[in-house]
Amino acid sequence: MPNSLATRIASMRASIDAVARRAGRDPAAIVLVGVTKKQPRESVVAALEGGLTDVGENYVQEAREKYAGLAGARKHFIGHVQTNKAKAIVETFDVVQSIDRYDAGRAIARAARGVGRPVRALVQINVSPTERFGIAPGDAPELAARLRDDEGLDVDGVMAIGPNTDNRAEIARAFALAAKTLGTVGGSTLSIGMSGDWEEAIGCGTTMLRIGTAIFGARA
Ligand SMILES: *Cc1c(COP(=O)(O)O)cnc(C)c1O
């Protein structure tokens, strides 16, 4: 049976590469994370067979079963961090993209020490009035510095969700602010861009796109 997800992933990847080249960017510097929330485990398995290397989920309960035993995939937690779920998050994921306050980072760091493996982490910043979570960009460097003082986290950049709007200029402005904040936080990862705004994200220097519906289709 042909793997239609493989076709969609290849076509998404080709579109990303084309837009990157047009923007003077190296396509190889942009990681594609497939966001699998509300999609069944069969789709995750098919996507990994179809060439996807990275997958992301918002809820640890949902990901625990869905991601169990998936060898070779890098797993990203992109949802709100509840400190009482830190252990489960660290057991389930390789990267935590959504550290937006010190107590969340401290809990993830402690859990990482518990499993004896440092966890790659991003500081989630808020660049949009329509978003609930994320720390103010101006406060992000201090949070990153505090998190780096704790053992257990490898703080490698920032993540942001773009504004929920059709105004392309507003999206680009928000992403430019995220890119500027990466410079003050330090690290190599700029995780910006989803199904509706990945082209603007490429123009603003994204190194990591988080794509759900454009690969997997509408969520249930
Ligand atoms: C759901 C989600 C995505 C993917 O959204 P799509 O619009 O389906 O591509 C990316 N990042 C975060 C944080 C999300 O919650």
Side-chain angles (χ1 to χ4, degrees):
M1 188 184 86
N3 182 344
S4 66
L5 265 175
T7 308
R8 289 168 89 148
I9 290 162
S11 121
M12 184 76 224
R13 190 68 242 188
S15 305
I16 291 166
D17 292 1
V19 170
R21 276 192 215 95
R22 242 182 283 142
R25 305 260 336 266
D26 174 11
I30 302 173
V31 174
L32 173 59
V33 178
V35 176
T36 60
K37 65 183 177 212
K38 305 247 173 79
Q39 304 294 345
R41 181 179 160 95
E42 305 91 82
S43 296
V44 182
V45 171
L48 294 172
E49 283 170 358
L52 201 65
T53 56
D54 290 67
V55 288
E57 282 274 341
N58 297 58
Y59 295 102
V60 65
Q61 298 94 310
E62 187 180 335
R64 263 191 132 160
E65 290 164 43
K66 207 191 286 186
Y67 284 0
L70 294 180
R74 195 180 303 126
K75 301 163 193 129
H76 300 252
F77 184 70
I78 60 173
H80 185 62
V81 174
Q82 295 174 267
T83 53
N84 64 344
K85 303 268 169 61
K87 185 164 176 281
I89 291 171
V90 163
E91 286 169 353
T92 309
F93 296 91
D94 304 298
V95 184
V96 180
Q97 297 206 9
S98 41
I99 308 280
D100 65 354
R101 62 201 196 283
Y102 180 68
D103 74 331
R106 186 181 51 185
I108 296 292
R110 176 181 300 175
R113 291 194 300 272
V115 298
R117 164 175 62 81
V119 166
R120 193 167 152 212
L122 303 180
V123 173
Q124 182 176 355
I125 57 170
N126 189 310
V127 295
S128 158
T130 52
E131 270 308 308
R132 250 171 91 200
F133 299 119
I135 190 168
D139 296 332
E142 193 195 332
L143 173 61
R146 282 185 82 189
L147 295 173
R148 287 186 177 114
D149 281 344
D150 283 354
E151 223 170 284
L153 293 186
D154 168 17
V155 180
D156 187 42
V158 301
M159 182 271 260
I161 297 172
N164 189 5
T165 174
D166 290 330
N167 183 331
R168 309 324 292 182
E170 190 182 330
I171 293 169
R173 267 197 305 277
F175 284 164
L177 175 57
K180 187 172 152 221
T181 307
L182 173 66
T184 66
V185 163
S188 62
T189 302
L190 178 60
S191 175
I192 52 172
M194 311 187 353
S195 294
D197 53 20
W198 59 269
E199 296 201 37
E200 282 82 5
I202 289 176
C204 290
T206 187
T207 68
M208 189 171 277
L209 297 169
R210 308 178 311 271
I211 307 288
T213 47
I215 293 175
F216 295 98
R219 286 182 279 271

PDB file of all heavy atoms in Angstrom, residues 69-83:
ATOM      1  N   GLY A  69       7.792   3.189  22.519  1.00  0.00           N
ATOM      2  CA  GLY A  69       8.537   2.246  21.695  1.00  0.00           C
ATOM      3  C   GLY A  69       8.844   2.702  20.282  1.00  0.00           C
ATOM      4  O   GLY A  69       9.201   1.888  19.433  1.00  0.00           O
ATOM      5  N   LEU A  70       8.712   3.991  20.007  1.00  0.00           N
ATOM      6  CA  LEU A  70       9.054   4.480  18.666  1.00  0.00           C
ATOM      7  C   LEU A  70      10.551   4.776  18.633  1.00  0.00           C
ATOM      8  O   LEU A  70      10.998   5.836  19.069  1.00  0.00           O
ATOM      9  CB  LEU A  70       8.289   5.760  18.332  1.00  0.00           C
ATOM     10  CG  LEU A  70       6.776   5.663  18.194  1.00  0.00           C
ATOM     11  CD1 LEU A  70       6.206   7.027  17.875  1.00  0.00           C
ATOM     12  CD2 LEU A  70       6.404   4.661  17.101  1.00  0.00           C
ATOM     13  N   ALA A  71      11.306   3.840  18.126  1.00  0.00           N
ATOM     14  CA  ALA A  71      12.760   4.017  18.106  1.00  0.00           C
ATOM     15  C   ALA A  71      13.142   4.995  17.006  1.00  0.00           C
ATOM     16  O   ALA A  71      12.534   5.029  15.948  1.00  0.00           O
ATOM     17  CB  ALA A  71      13.428   2.675  17.883  1.00  0.00           C
ATOM     18  N   GLY A  72      14.140   5.812  17.309  1.00  0.00           N
ATOM     19  CA  GLY A  72      14.707   6.658  16.256  1.00  0.00           C
ATOM     20  C   GLY A  72      14.051   8.005  16.057  1.00  0.00           C
ATOM     21  O   GLY A  72      14.624   8.876  15.425  1.00  0.00           O
ATOM     22  N   ALA A  73      12.853   8.207  16.596  1.00  0.00           N
ATOM     23  CA  ALA A  73      12.211   9.510  16.418  1.00  0.00           C
ATOM     24  C   ALA A  73      12.635  10.452  17.539  1.00  0.00           C
ATOM     25  O   ALA A  73      12.769  10.037  18.687  1.00  0.00           O
ATOM     26  CB  ALA A  73      10.702   9.346  16.446  1.00  0.00           C
ATOM     27  N   ARG A  74      12.866  11.717  17.198  1.00  0.00           N
ATOM     28  CA  ARG A  74      13.097  12.711  18.240  1.00  0.00           C
ATOM     29  C   ARG A  74      11.737  13.287  18.615  1.00  0.00           C
ATOM     30  O   ARG A  74      10.987  13.737  17.743  1.00  0.00           O
ATOM     31  CB  ARG A  74      14.037  13.799  17.739  1.00  0.00           C
ATOM     32  CG  ARG A  74      14.594  14.640  18.888  1.00  0.00           C
ATOM     33  CD  ARG A  74      15.529  15.743  18.415  1.00  0.00           C
ATOM     34  NE  ARG A  74      16.632  15.238  17.647  1.00  0.00           N
ATOM     35  CZ  ARG A  74      16.957  15.670  16.419  1.00  0.00           C
ATOM     36  NH1 ARG A  74      16.268  16.605  15.830  1.00  0.00           N
ATOM     37  NH2 ARG A  74      17.993  15.158  15.790  1.00  0.00           N
ATOM     38  N   LYS A  75      11.435  13.271  19.924  1.00  0.00           N
ATOM     39  CA  LYS A  75      10.092  13.638  20.376  1.00  0.00           C
ATOM     40  C   LYS A  75      10.126  14.978  21.111  1.00  0.00           C
ATOM     41  O   LYS A  75      10.906  15.168  22.037  1.00  0.00           O
ATOM     42  CB  LYS A  75       9.544  12.537  21.279  1.00  0.00           C
ATOM     43  CG  LYS A  75       9.486  11.188  20.555  1.00  0.00           C
ATOM     44  CD  LYS A  75       9.342  10.023  21.530  1.00  0.00           C
ATOM     45  CE  LYS A  75       9.615   8.699  20.835  1.00  0.00           C
ATOM     46  NZ  LYS A  75      10.593   7.884  21.581  1.00  0.00           N
ATOM     47  N   HIS A  76       9.239  15.875  20.706  1.00  0.00           N
ATOM     48  CA  HIS A  76       9.218  17.240  21.241  1.00  0.00           C
ATOM     49  C   HIS A  76       7.946  17.490  22.039  1.00  0.00           C
ATOM     50  O   HIS A  76       6.840  17.262  21.524  1.00  0.00           O
ATOM     51  CB  HIS A  76       9.254  18.257  20.091  1.00  0.00           C
ATOM     52  CG  HIS A  76      10.465  18.156  19.211  1.00  0.00           C
ATOM     53  ND1 HIS A  76      11.472  19.098  19.228  1.00  0.00           N
ATOM     54  CD2 HIS A  76      10.842  17.219  18.298  1.00  0.00           C
ATOM     55  CE1 HIS A  76      12.405  18.759  18.347  1.00  0.00           C
ATOM     56  NE2 HIS A  76      12.041  17.623  17.768  1.00  0.00           N
ATOM     57  N   PHE A  77       8.095  17.996  23.239  1.00  0.00           N
ATOM     58  CA  PHE A  77       6.924  18.424  24.002  1.00  0.00           C
ATOM     59  C   PHE A  77       6.686  19.902  23.711  1.00  0.00           C
ATOM     60  O   PHE A  77       7.570  20.739  23.918  1.00  0.00           O
ATOM     61  CB  PHE A  77       7.128  18.202  25.507  1.00  0.00           C
ATOM     62  CG  PHE A  77       5.907  18.552  26.312  1.00  0.00           C
ATOM     63  CD1 PHE A  77       4.768  17.753  26.236  1.00  0.00           C
ATOM     64  CD2 PHE A  77       5.875  19.683  27.110  1.00  0.00           C
ATOM     65  CE1 PHE A  77       3.624  18.079  26.950  1.00  0.00           C
ATOM     66  CE2 PHE A  77       4.730  20.016  27.829  1.00  0.00           C
ATOM     67  CZ  PHE A  77       3.608  19.210  27.747  1.00  0.00           C
ATOM     68  N   ILE A  78       5.487  20.230  23.207  1.00  0.00           N
ATOM     69  CA  ILE A  78       5.205  21.610  22.801  1.00  0.00           C
ATOM     70  C   ILE A  78       4.005  22.192  23.542  1.00  0.00           C
ATOM     71  O   ILE A  78       3.521  23.264  23.191  1.00  0.00           O
ATOM     72  CB  ILE A  78       4.984  21.698  21.265  1.00  0.00           C
ATOM     73  CG1 ILE A  78       3.802  20.818  20.822  1.00  0.00           C
ATOM     74  CG2 ILE A  78       6.250  21.294  20.504  1.00  0.00           C
ATOM     75  CD1 ILE A  78       3.430  20.984  19.353  1.00  0.00           C
ATOM     76  N   GLY A  79       3.526  21.481  24.574  1.00  0.00           N
ATOM     77  CA  GLY A  79       2.356  21.963  25.317  1.00  0.00           C
ATOM     78  C   GLY A  79       2.756  22.660  26.606  1.00  0.00           C
ATOM     79  O   GLY A  79       3.934  22.754  26.947  1.00  0.00           O
ATOM     80  N   HIS A  80       1.765  23.127  27.308  1.00  0.00           N
ATOM     81  CA  HIS A  80       2.010  23.820  28.566  1.00  0.00           C
ATOM     82  C   HIS A  80       2.578  22.850  29.603  1.00  0.00           C
ATOM     83  O   HIS A  80       2.045  21.764  29.794  1.00  0.00           O
ATOM     84  CB  HIS A  80       0.697  24.434  29.070  1.00  0.00           C
ATOM     85  CG  HIS A  80       0.879  25.265  30.301  1.00  0.00           C
ATOM     86  ND1 HIS A  80       1.668  26.391  30.307  1.00  0.00           N
ATOM     87  CD2 HIS A  80       0.385  25.123  31.549  1.00  0.00           C
ATOM     88  CE1 HIS A  80       1.650  26.917  31.519  1.00  0.00           C
ATOM     89  NE2 HIS A  80       0.876  26.173  32.290  1.00  0.00           N
ATOM     90  N   VAL A  81       3.657  23.251  30.270  1.00  0.00           N
ATOM     91  CA  VAL A  81       4.295  22.377  31.259  1.00  0.00           C
ATOM     92  C   VAL A  81       3.595  22.514  32.607  1.00  0.00           C
ATOM     93  O   VAL A  81       3.571  23.589  33.205  1.00  0.00           O
ATOM     94  CB  VAL A  81       5.797  22.726  31.433  1.00  0.00           C
ATOM     95  CG1 VAL A  81       6.406  21.897  32.570  1.00  0.00           C
ATOM     96  CG2 VAL A  81       6.562  22.512  30.141  1.00  0.00           C
ATOM     97  N   GLN A  82       3.030  21.404  33.084  1.00  0.00           N
ATOM     98  CA  GLN A  82       2.521  21.349  34.455  1.00  0.00           C
ATOM     99  C   GLN A  82       3.609  20.669  35.279  1.00  0.00           C
ATOM    100  O   GLN A  82       4.077  19.588  34.924  1.00  0.00           O
ATOM    101  CB  GLN A  82       1.230  20.543  34.505  1.00  0.00           C
ATOM    102  CG  GLN A  82       0.080  21.192  33.746  1.00  0.00           C
ATOM    103  CD  GLN A  82      -1.138  20.276  33.718  1.00  0.00           C
ATOM    104  OE1 GLN A  82      -1.326  19.510  32.788  1.00  0.00           O
ATOM    105  NE2 GLN A  82      -1.939  20.345  34.774  1.00  0.00           N
ATOM    106  N   THR A  83       3.981  21.306  36.390  1.00  0.00           N
ATOM    107  CA  THR A  83       5.146  20.800  37.132  1.00  0.00           C
ATOM    108  C   THR A  83       4.920  19.369  37.637  1.00  0.00           C
ATOM    109  O   THR A  83       5.864  18.590  37.704  1.00  0.00           O
ATOM    110  CB  THR A  83       5.487  21.725  38.317  1.00  0.00           C
ATOM    111  OG1 THR A  83       4.309  21.910  39.102  1.00  0.00           O
ATOM    112  CG2 THR A  83       5.981  23.074  37.834  1.00  0.00           C
TER     113      THR A  83
END
